[in-house]
Amino acid sequence: MMSNKKVAVIFTGGTISMKVDPRISAAIPALSSEEIMSMVTNIDRFADIEIVDFERIPGPHMTPKKMMELSKITKKLVERQDIDGVVITHGTDTLEETAFLMDLNNFSDKPIVIAGAMRNGSELGYDGPSNLAAAICTVISEQAKNKGVLVVMNNEVNAASEVTKTHTLSLDTFKSLEFGPLGIVDNDEVIFYRDIVKHHHIETDKIEEKVYLIKSYAGIDSSLINFCIDNGAKGIVIEAMGRGNLPPMMVDGIKNAISRGIKIVLVSRCPMGRVLDSYGYEGGGKNLRNLGVIFGGSLNGQKARIKLMLALSITNDIEEVKEIFEKDFYTK
């Protein structure tokens, strides 16, 4: 019934493309896109597949520049009338960052789904083909339109804006910790239980790479901030403690950065919850916001960095960057 749907599958590499090399007793990229697709049995009953080879790299080899290049390729594919949606295979270590960049950078109503694997092709229970099949079944669903970029793993459908990798090993590693998945893939059909109310977009074909990420810890001072300044930082994301608070020794570094026009975005190192200016002591959220620190809502550090990289590619105005991050989440 759905055989007339055409899906472009972009292969970028990752564990889904790997097998164990006996010479080194470790997994490396080895499987071609055709070999992987051949293991997705009977998929021709559901969709016509067009294979697009991007690269065959491990997840940690993905870079923001490559993510933007991938986004451009995906945009061209969804603009084609004969393409109903796009599936992207990706290494799981950086999957959520690529997915979020593409979610912010994508304006199409056509489904875009990213999937990967936690086990390589040499392991028992290789999950690559099943995840790829579930991703394709999601893309061909009419219900998947206008959902933004989705991540499909272990038969769960999650929003790119919410999902994160939570476990180094488990097949169900990708979770939306605060609100749960959007839906599931059951019996080759996607079933959605909720939707995303707000979709934020940043239209750009460039990316600002000089954006750093710092995780706070007890006793941290301004050394890392000053290092970033000395290395030409355009923006810094700081994973603060709890509700959005930092040790007072970081405040001078933040003042120094802001005085030089460097944008500081604050998120929490906690896995759930948003930052808020609840505390007024030195280094507290209120103090930081009064200094000009931008609040990043409930984004984690790696996603806030991606968003800041895109934001700084289109504007260096503090108020415009603040609007990009705080619109719909904070009052003026």
Side-chain angles (χ1 to χ4, degrees), residues 194-210:
R194 69 178 183 91
D195 205 351
I196 298 291
V197 177
K198 298 180 178 70
H199 289 276
H200 288 186
H201 297 293
I202 303 173
E203 180 61 36
T204 180
D205 60 359
K206 304 185 294 295
I207 192 159
E208 173 55 66
E209 293 189 277
K210 281 286 189 178

Side-chain angles (χ1 to χ4, degrees), residues 16 25 44 68 100 149 156 170 181 195 252 272 285 303 329:
I16 195 172
S25 299
D44 55 320
M68 183 55 73
F100 188 53
V149 175
E156 287 191 348
S170 295
D195 205 351
D252 282 345
M272 290 187 285
K303 284 184 182 172
F329 298 113

Side-chain angles (χ1 to χ4, degrees), residues 111-164:
I112 298 171
V113 175
I114 302 186
M118 289 300 292
R119 294 176 183 168
N120 67 68
S122 298
E123 291 182 276
L124 290 173
Y126 173 46
D127 57 325
S130 62
N131 287 337
L132 185 50
I136 293 170
C137 288
T138 301
V139 158
I140 62 176
S141 169
E142 289 294 314
Q143 302 300 314
K145 290 183 176 180
N146 289 305
K147 292 284 194 297
V149 175
L150 303 172
V151 174
V152 175
M153 296 275 290
N154 200 46
N155 287 322
E156 287 191 348
V157 182
N158 287 280
S161 58
E162 297 177 347
V163 75
T164 190

Side-chain angles (χ1 to χ4, degrees), residues 44-222:
D44 55 320
R45 291 166 44 198
F46 296 87
D48 297 325
I49 304 299
E50 179 177 321
I51 292 175
V52 180
D53 286 311
F54 179 73
E55 289 200 40
R56 193 164 62 180
I57 57 174
H61 290 200
M62 183 60 75
T63 66
K65 273 191 175 179
K66 290 182 187 292
M67 292 176 193
M68 183 55 73
E69 183 183 347
L70 183 60
S71 183
K72 292 176 183 177
I73 292 170
T74 304
K75 282 182 179 180
K76 289 181 180 178
L77 285 168
V78 295
E79 286 171 359
R80 283 172 42 186
Q81 290 188 348
D82 63 321
I83 295 293
D84 293 288
V86 176
V87 170
I88 301 165
T89 69
H90 199 288
T92 59
D93 285 343
T94 51
L95 187 152
E96 69 182 271
E97 288 160 90
T98 296
F100 188 53
L101 180 146
M102 296 184 67
D103 187 59
L104 290 170
N105 201 226
N106 168 58
F107 287 81
S108 175
D109 65 341
K110 292 182 180 179
I112 298 171
V113 175
I114 302 186
M118 289 300 292
R119 294 176 183 168
N120 67 68
S122 298
E123 291 182 276
L124 290 173
Y126 173 46
D127 57 325
S130 62
N131 287 337
L132 185 50
I136 293 170
C137 288
T138 301
V139 158
I140 62 176
S141 169
E142 289 294 314
Q143 302 300 314
K145 290 183 176 180
N146 289 305
K147 292 284 194 297
V149 175
L150 303 172
V151 174
V152 175
M153 296 275 290
N154 200 46
N155 287 322
E156 287 191 348
V157 182
N158 287 280
S161 58
E162 297 177 347
V163 75
T164 190
K165 187 175 182 180
T166 66
H167 199 284
T168 62
L169 175 65
S170 295
L171 299 185
D172 65 343
T173 180
F174 282 93
K175 294 182 182 297
S176 299
L177 294 173
E178 196 148 18
F179 305 113
L182 298 183
I184 60 171
V185 180
D186 184 17
N187 195 32
D188 301 325
E189 180 183 3
V190 63
I191 302 169
F192 287 99
Y193 294 106
R194 69 178 183 91
D195 205 351
I196 298 291
V197 177
K198 298 180 178 70
H199 289 276
H200 288 186
H201 297 293
I202 303 173
E203 180 61 36
T204 180
D205 60 359
K206 304 185 294 295
I207 192 159
E208 173 55 66
E209 293 189 277
K210 281 286 189 178
V211 177
Y212 294 85
L213 172 60
I214 297 173
K215 189 184 187 79
S216 66
Y217 52 83
I220 186 173
D221 58 19
S222 293

